[in-house]
Amino acid sequence: MSDALDRSATAGTSPPPHPHAVVAVLAFGGIVVSLMQTLVIPIVGQLPQLLDAPASDTAWAVTATLLAAAVATPVMGRLGDMYGKRRMLLLSTAMLVIGSVVAGLSDTLVPMIVGRALQGLSSGVIPLGISILRDELPAERLGSATAMISASLGVGGALGLPAAALIADNFDWHMLFWTSAALGVVALVLVLLVVPESRVRTGGRFDLAGAAGMAAGLICLLLAISKGADWGWTSAPVLGLFAATVVILPVWGLFELRVDQPLVDLRTTARPQVLVTNLASVAIGFSMFSMSLVIPQLLQLPERTGYGLGRSLLASGLVMAPSGLVMMALAPVSALVSRAKGPKVTLMTGALIVAAGYGLNVALMDEVWHFVLASCVIGAGIGFTYGAMPALIMGAVPASETGAANSLNTLMRSIGTSVASAVAGVVLAQTTTRFGTYALPSESGFRTVLALGAGAALLGFAVAAFIPRRSPGDAGTPAAEGPVRAAESSVPKA
C-alpha cells in the first residue's frame, strides 16, 4: 500500500486536487523568505548614513535576522507538528510582511532592527513547506517536490542579490522592504487559497521552558560567532558567550530528555541517520556560503589590484544568479538519484560536485565566465545535497515529528553558514595587501577561503559516508507510521 493510501485510510485526508499548485506555492514562499538573506546587502555600507547610527550598531540589521531565524526555525517546526503546519506557515509569512512594513517605515536604527528581526521569524517557511509535502503528496511525487522546496533556499539567495541591487540603484532604499512586503502578501494569499491543512498532528503542550533554553543557547553561540571579528575573539564578551553556550546547551539537553513532550526529541535526533545527516549539513552549509562570501568581492574589487574584475554590485549579482537556477533545475535529478540509489548517495555525490566546483574556482579566477562556471558547478552540487538532506531526515522520523526534524536540519545548515562567515572574515582580515592607502584582502586570502569551501564539502562527504545504508524503498517506511500514530493520538481515550 502506498504512503498516500495509508494517509487517507488513517488520518482521513486525501491528496490535494492540484499537487503541482501546492508545490509551486510552497516553492515560491521559500524563495521569498530566502530573499531576506541578501535583501540589505546593497545598502549595508550606507546604513550608518541612512539611519544616522554607527556602523557597529547598524550591523545589527543583519545580526538580528540571523538570531531571530535561529530561534524561530525549530520553534515553528514544533508548533507546526502540534497545531497545524499550514497555520504556522501562514503565521511565518505574516511575520515577513509585518517585518517588511516596519523596516519600510523606518528611518532610525531601532525600528529597522525590529523589522529585520520580524523578517527573521519567517525562516520556518521552508521546513514547514517540506513537512506539508510529506503529509499531502503521494510517495512517488514526494522526492522531487521536496528537493525543489529545499533548493528554494539557495535559489532565493542567488536571485536576491541582483534584484536587491537593481532596486537599490534605481529607487529609494525603502523600496527594498516594500517589495519584500508585497511578495510576502502574494505568498500569504496563495497559501490561503492553495495549500491544505494537514491533520497529521501530535497535539500536547508546547515546551516553553525548552524553547527558552534552546533560544538562550543558540543566541549565545551565534552571537559569539557573528560578532567575534568585531569584538575580538579573545574579548570578554565573546569568551563569555562561548562559555555560556557550553553551559546552557548541555543543561537544556538534559532537561529535554526528561520532558514528556520536548521541543526537540533528542532521542529521535540521536538516531544515526538523523544525527549524521545533521552533522553533514553543518559542513555543507559552510561550503555553500563560502561561495557567496568570495565571488562577489572578487568581482567588485578594482582591476588595478591584479585579481579584481571591477564589476558593479548588480553585475556581480547577475554572475551569481545562474547558480540558483541550476539548483532549481537539478532538483528533479536529485530526486531521481535518491529514488534509484538512495538519498545517502545523492548527498555524497553532491558534496563531491561542490568540492569540484571550488577546486575549479581556485584554478580559474581571471574572467567573469570563470566565476559563472564555478558557481554553477557549486550550485549543482548544492542542489543535490539540499534535495537529499530532507529525504534522509524524513526517512528516519515519524510524520508527526517531520516539522521539528526538518527545522532542526535547516538550523544546522544555518549554523554552518554562520561559521563560514566568521572563518572567512578572519582569513581575509589576516591576509591583506596594500592598495594605495587601503588594505584589501589578498588573492591568496580569497583562494584560501575557496579551498576551505572545498575542504568543508569533502568533510561533508566523509561524514555522510557514516549514514546507515538503507534501500531506496525503505525511505518512506516511517512516513506510513506517522499518520497512524497521529490519528491514534487524536482519538479521545476512554
mmCIF file with all atom_site columns, all heavy atoms in Angstrom, residues 199-215:
data_model
loop_
_atom_site.group_PDB
_atom_site.id
_atom_site.type_symbol
_atom_site.label_atom_id
_atom_site.label_alt_id
_atom_site.label_comp_id
_atom_site.label_asym_id
_atom_site.label_entity_id
_atom_site.label_seq_id
_atom_site.pdbx_PDB_ins_code
_atom_site.Cartn_x
_atom_site.Cartn_y
_atom_site.Cartn_z
_atom_site.occupancy
_atom_site.B_iso_or_equiv
_atom_site.pdbx_formal_charge
_atom_site.auth_seq_id
_atom_site.auth_comp_id
_atom_site.auth_asym_id
_atom_site.auth_atom_id
_atom_site.pdbx_PDB_model_num
ATOM 1   N N   . ARG A 1 199 ? -3.942  17.006 8.726  1.00 0.00 ? 199 ARG A N   1
ATOM 2   C CA  . ARG A 1 199 ? -4.471  16.520 10.009 1.00 0.00 ? 199 ARG A CA  1
ATOM 3   C C   . ARG A 1 199 ? -3.441  15.714 10.785 1.00 0.00 ? 199 ARG A C   1
ATOM 4   O O   . ARG A 1 199 ? -3.745  15.175 11.842 1.00 0.00 ? 199 ARG A O   1
ATOM 5   C CB  . ARG A 1 199 ? -5.711  15.655 9.752  1.00 0.00 ? 199 ARG A CB  1
ATOM 6   C CG  . ARG A 1 199 ? -6.854  16.419 9.097  1.00 0.00 ? 199 ARG A CG  1
ATOM 7   C CD  . ARG A 1 199 ? -8.089  15.545 8.977  1.00 0.00 ? 199 ARG A CD  1
ATOM 8   N NE  . ARG A 1 199 ? -9.142  16.224 8.235  1.00 0.00 ? 199 ARG A NE  1
ATOM 9   C CZ  . ARG A 1 199 ? -10.349 15.705 8.008  1.00 0.00 ? 199 ARG A CZ  1
ATOM 10  N NH1 . ARG A 1 199 ? -10.630 14.506 8.477  1.00 0.00 ? 199 ARG A NH1 1
ATOM 11  N NH2 . ARG A 1 199 ? -11.248 16.371 7.325  1.00 0.00 ? 199 ARG A NH2 1
ATOM 12  N N   . VAL A 1 200 ? -2.225  15.624 10.258 1.00 0.00 ? 200 VAL A N   1
ATOM 13  C CA  . VAL A 1 200 ? -1.154  14.891 10.957 1.00 0.00 ? 200 VAL A CA  1
ATOM 14  C C   . VAL A 1 200 ? -0.577  15.813 12.019 1.00 0.00 ? 200 VAL A C   1
ATOM 15  O O   . VAL A 1 200 ? 0.198   16.713 11.722 1.00 0.00 ? 200 VAL A O   1
ATOM 16  C CB  . VAL A 1 200 ? -0.069  14.434 9.973  1.00 0.00 ? 200 VAL A CB  1
ATOM 17  C CG1 . VAL A 1 200 ? 1.026   13.662 10.711 1.00 0.00 ? 200 VAL A CG1 1
ATOM 18  C CG2 . VAL A 1 200 ? -0.674  13.577 8.879  1.00 0.00 ? 200 VAL A CG2 1
ATOM 19  N N   . ARG A 1 201 ? -0.964  15.601 13.265 1.00 0.00 ? 201 ARG A N   1
ATOM 20  C CA  . ARG A 1 201 ? -0.516  16.459 14.368 1.00 0.00 ? 201 ARG A CA  1
ATOM 21  C C   . ARG A 1 201 ? -0.199  15.607 15.584 1.00 0.00 ? 201 ARG A C   1
ATOM 22  O O   . ARG A 1 201 ? -0.731  14.512 15.756 1.00 0.00 ? 201 ARG A O   1
ATOM 23  C CB  . ARG A 1 201 ? -1.604  17.474 14.744 1.00 0.00 ? 201 ARG A CB  1
ATOM 24  C CG  . ARG A 1 201 ? -2.037  18.376 13.596 1.00 0.00 ? 201 ARG A CG  1
ATOM 25  C CD  . ARG A 1 201 ? -3.051  19.399 14.056 1.00 0.00 ? 201 ARG A CD  1
ATOM 26  N NE  . ARG A 1 201 ? -3.599  20.142 12.937 1.00 0.00 ? 201 ARG A NE  1
ATOM 27  C CZ  . ARG A 1 201 ? -4.521  21.097 13.053 1.00 0.00 ? 201 ARG A CZ  1
ATOM 28  N NH1 . ARG A 1 201 ? -4.983  21.424 14.248 1.00 0.00 ? 201 ARG A NH1 1
ATOM 29  N NH2 . ARG A 1 201 ? -4.983  21.719 11.992 1.00 0.00 ? 201 ARG A NH2 1
ATOM 30  N N   . THR A 1 202 ? 0.658   16.154 16.427 1.00 0.00 ? 202 THR A N   1
ATOM 31  C CA  . THR A 1 202 ? 0.999   15.458 17.657 1.00 0.00 ? 202 THR A CA  1
ATOM 32  C C   . THR A 1 202 ? 0.114   15.883 18.819 1.00 0.00 ? 202 THR A C   1
ATOM 33  O O   . THR A 1 202 ? -0.099  15.113 19.749 1.00 0.00 ? 202 THR A O   1
ATOM 34  C CB  . THR A 1 202 ? 2.464   15.736 18.051 1.00 0.00 ? 202 THR A CB  1
ATOM 35  O OG1 . THR A 1 202 ? 2.632   17.143 18.269 1.00 0.00 ? 202 THR A OG1 1
ATOM 36  C CG2 . THR A 1 202 ? 3.411   15.281 16.962 1.00 0.00 ? 202 THR A CG2 1
ATOM 37  N N   . GLY A 1 203 ? -0.397  17.106 18.801 1.00 0.00 ? 203 GLY A N   1
ATOM 38  C CA  . GLY A 1 203 ? -1.124  17.625 19.952 1.00 0.00 ? 203 GLY A CA  1
ATOM 39  C C   . GLY A 1 203 ? -0.184  17.846 21.125 1.00 0.00 ? 203 GLY A C   1
ATOM 40  O O   . GLY A 1 203 ? 1.036   17.933 20.975 1.00 0.00 ? 203 GLY A O   1
ATOM 41  N N   . GLY A 1 204 ? -0.753  17.920 22.323 1.00 0.00 ? 204 GLY A N   1
ATOM 42  C CA  . GLY A 1 204 ? 0.049   18.091 23.525 1.00 0.00 ? 204 GLY A CA  1
ATOM 43  C C   . GLY A 1 204 ? 0.341   19.542 23.852 1.00 0.00 ? 204 GLY A C   1
ATOM 44  O O   . GLY A 1 204 ? -0.222  20.460 23.258 1.00 0.00 ? 204 GLY A O   1
ATOM 45  N N   . ARG A 1 205 ? 1.223   19.728 24.817 1.00 0.00 ? 205 ARG A N   1
ATOM 46  C CA  . ARG A 1 205 ? 1.598   21.062 25.278 1.00 0.00 ? 205 ARG A CA  1
ATOM 47  C C   . ARG A 1 205 ? 2.930   21.493 24.684 1.00 0.00 ? 205 ARG A C   1
ATOM 48  O O   . ARG A 1 205 ? 3.813   20.674 24.478 1.00 0.00 ? 205 ARG A O   1
ATOM 49  C CB  . ARG A 1 205 ? 1.697   21.094 26.809 1.00 0.00 ? 205 ARG A CB  1
ATOM 50  C CG  . ARG A 1 205 ? 0.374   20.906 27.535 1.00 0.00 ? 205 ARG A CG  1
ATOM 51  C CD  . ARG A 1 205 ? 0.581   21.015 29.042 1.00 0.00 ? 205 ARG A CD  1
ATOM 52  N NE  . ARG A 1 205 ? -0.672  20.893 29.769 1.00 0.00 ? 205 ARG A NE  1
ATOM 53  C CZ  . ARG A 1 205 ? -0.769  20.957 31.097 1.00 0.00 ? 205 ARG A CZ  1
ATOM 54  N NH1 . ARG A 1 205 ? 0.343   21.120 31.824 1.00 0.00 ? 205 ARG A NH1 1
ATOM 55  N NH2 . ARG A 1 205 ? -1.937  20.851 31.682 1.00 0.00 ? 205 ARG A NH2 1
ATOM 56  N N   . PHE A 1 206 ? 3.051   22.792 24.460 1.00 0.00 ? 206 PHE A N   1
ATOM 57  C CA  . PHE A 1 206 ? 4.294   23.334 23.943 1.00 0.00 ? 206 PHE A CA  1
ATOM 58  C C   . PHE A 1 206 ? 5.311   23.450 25.072 1.00 0.00 ? 206 PHE A C   1
ATOM 59  O O   . PHE A 1 206 ? 4.999   23.915 26.176 1.00 0.00 ? 206 PHE A O   1
ATOM 60  C CB  . PHE A 1 206 ? 4.045   24.704 23.315 1.00 0.00 ? 206 PHE A CB  1
ATOM 61  C CG  . PHE A 1 206 ? 5.290   25.331 22.747 1.00 0.00 ? 206 PHE A CG  1
ATOM 62  C CD1 . PHE A 1 206 ? 5.911   24.799 21.634 1.00 0.00 ? 206 PHE A CD1 1
ATOM 63  C CD2 . PHE A 1 206 ? 5.854   26.452 23.341 1.00 0.00 ? 206 PHE A CD2 1
ATOM 64  C CE1 . PHE A 1 206 ? 7.054   25.355 21.102 1.00 0.00 ? 206 PHE A CE1 1
ATOM 65  C CE2 . PHE A 1 206 ? 6.991   27.042 22.821 1.00 0.00 ? 206 PHE A CE2 1
ATOM 66  C CZ  . PHE A 1 206 ? 7.594   26.483 21.702 1.00 0.00 ? 206 PHE A CZ  1
ATOM 67  N N   . ASP A 1 207 ? 6.531   23.033 24.789 1.00 0.00 ? 207 ASP A N   1
ATOM 68  C CA  . ASP A 1 207 ? 7.618   23.030 25.769 1.00 0.00 ? 207 ASP A CA  1
ATOM 69  C C   . ASP A 1 207 ? 8.229   24.436 25.844 1.00 0.00 ? 207 ASP A C   1
ATOM 70  O O   . ASP A 1 207 ? 9.262   24.714 25.236 1.00 0.00 ? 207 ASP A O   1
ATOM 71  C CB  . ASP A 1 207 ? 8.656   21.987 25.360 1.00 0.00 ? 207 ASP A CB  1
ATOM 72  C CG  . ASP A 1 207 ? 9.838   21.911 26.308 1.00 0.00 ? 207 ASP A CG  1
ATOM 73  O OD1 . ASP A 1 207 ? 9.739   22.450 27.435 1.00 0.00 ? 207 ASP A OD1 1
ATOM 74  O OD2 . ASP A 1 207 ? 10.864  21.342 25.914 1.00 0.00 ? 207 ASP A OD2 1
ATOM 75  N N   . LEU A 1 208 ? 7.601   25.309 26.618 1.00 0.00 ? 208 LEU A N   1
ATOM 76  C CA  . LEU A 1 208 ? 8.042   26.696 26.699 1.00 0.00 ? 208 LEU A CA  1
ATOM 77  C C   . LEU A 1 208 ? 9.416   26.817 27.339 1.00 0.00 ? 208 LEU A C   1
ATOM 78  O O   . LEU A 1 208 ? 10.276  27.573 26.866 1.00 0.00 ? 208 LEU A O   1
ATOM 79  C CB  . LEU A 1 208 ? 7.019   27.524 27.485 1.00 0.00 ? 208 LEU A CB  1
ATOM 80  C CG  . LEU A 1 208 ? 7.274   29.032 27.560 1.00 0.00 ? 208 LEU A CG  1
ATOM 81  C CD1 . LEU A 1 208 ? 7.301   29.643 26.162 1.00 0.00 ? 208 LEU A CD1 1
ATOM 82  C CD2 . LEU A 1 208 ? 6.215   29.711 28.423 1.00 0.00 ? 208 LEU A CD2 1
ATOM 83  N N   . ALA A 1 209 ? 9.647   26.054 28.402 1.00 0.00 ? 209 ALA A N   1
ATOM 84  C CA  . ALA A 1 209 ? 10.964  26.107 29.057 1.00 0.00 ? 209 ALA A CA  1
ATOM 85  C C   . ALA A 1 209 ? 12.052  25.596 28.120 1.00 0.00 ? 209 ALA A C   1
ATOM 86  O O   . ALA A 1 209 ? 13.151  26.155 28.053 1.00 0.00 ? 209 ALA A O   1
ATOM 87  C CB  . ALA A 1 209 ? 10.933  25.284 30.344 1.00 0.00 ? 209 ALA A CB  1
ATOM 88  N N   . GLY A 1 210 ? 11.748  24.552 27.368 1.00 0.00 ? 210 GLY A N   1
ATOM 89  C CA  . GLY A 1 210 ? 12.721  24.042 26.411 1.00 0.00 ? 210 GLY A CA  1
ATOM 90  C C   . GLY A 1 210 ? 13.019  25.043 25.314 1.00 0.00 ? 210 GLY A C   1
ATOM 91  O O   . GLY A 1 210 ? 14.168  25.181 24.875 1.00 0.00 ? 210 GLY A O   1
ATOM 92  N N   . ALA A 1 211 ? 11.979  25.748 24.856 1.00 0.00 ? 211 ALA A N   1
ATOM 93  C CA  . ALA A 1 211 ? 12.178  26.769 23.825 1.00 0.00 ? 211 ALA A CA  1
ATOM 94  C C   . ALA A 1 211 ? 13.054  27.897 24.345 1.00 0.00 ? 211 ALA A C   1
ATOM 95  O O   . ALA A 1 211 ? 13.937  28.399 23.632 1.00 0.00 ? 211 ALA A O   1
ATOM 96  C CB  . ALA A 1 211 ? 10.830  27.319 23.360 1.00 0.00 ? 211 ALA A CB  1
ATOM 97  N N   . ALA A 1 212 ? 12.822  28.321 25.591 1.00 0.00 ? 212 ALA A N   1
ATOM 98  C CA  . ALA A 1 212 ? 13.622  29.398 26.176 1.00 0.00 ? 212 ALA A CA  1
ATOM 99  C C   . ALA A 1 212 ? 15.082  28.970 26.333 1.00 0.00 ? 212 ALA A C   1
ATOM 100 O O   . ALA A 1 212 ? 16.009  29.738 26.027 1.00 0.00 ? 212 ALA A O   1
ATOM 101 C CB  . ALA A 1 212 ? 13.038  29.804 27.528 1.00 0.00 ? 212 ALA A CB  1
ATOM 102 N N   . GLY A 1 213 ? 15.306  27.737 26.780 1.00 0.00 ? 213 GLY A N   1
ATOM 103 C CA  . GLY A 1 213 ? 16.674  27.264 26.944 1.00 0.00 ? 213 GLY A CA  1
ATOM 104 C C   . GLY A 1 213 ? 17.403  27.133 25.623 1.00 0.00 ? 213 GLY A C   1
ATOM 105 O O   . GLY A 1 213 ? 18.569  27.529 25.500 1.00 0.00 ? 213 GLY A O   1
ATOM 106 N N   . MET A 1 214 ? 16.711  26.591 24.631 1.00 0.00 ? 214 MET A N   1
ATOM 107 C CA  . MET A 1 214 ? 17.342  26.461 23.322 1.00 0.00 ? 214 MET A CA  1
ATOM 108 C C   . MET A 1 214 ? 17.638  27.833 22.721 1.00 0.00 ? 214 MET A C   1
ATOM 109 O O   . MET A 1 214 ? 18.710  28.051 22.134 1.00 0.00 ? 214 MET A O   1
ATOM 110 C CB  . MET A 1 214 ? 16.441  25.681 22.376 1.00 0.00 ? 214 MET A CB  1
ATOM 111 C CG  . MET A 1 214 ? 17.075  25.396 21.031 1.00 0.00 ? 214 MET A CG  1
ATOM 112 S SD  . MET A 1 214 ? 15.864  24.914 19.801 1.00 0.00 ? 214 MET A SD  1
ATOM 113 C CE  . MET A 1 214 ? 14.950  26.447 19.649 1.00 0.00 ? 214 MET A CE  1
ATOM 114 N N   . ALA A 1 215 ? 16.698  28.778 22.872 1.00 0.00 ? 215 ALA A N   1
ATOM 115 C CA  . ALA A 1 215 ? 16.903  30.128 22.340 1.00 0.00 ? 215 ALA A CA  1
ATOM 116 C C   . ALA A 1 215 ? 18.118  30.777 22.995 1.00 0.00 ? 215 ALA A C   1
ATOM 117 O O   . ALA A 1 215 ? 18.949  31.395 22.313 1.00 0.00 ? 215 ALA A O   1
ATOM 118 C CB  . ALA A 1 215 ? 15.655  30.975 22.563 1.00 0.00 ? 215 ALA A CB  1
#
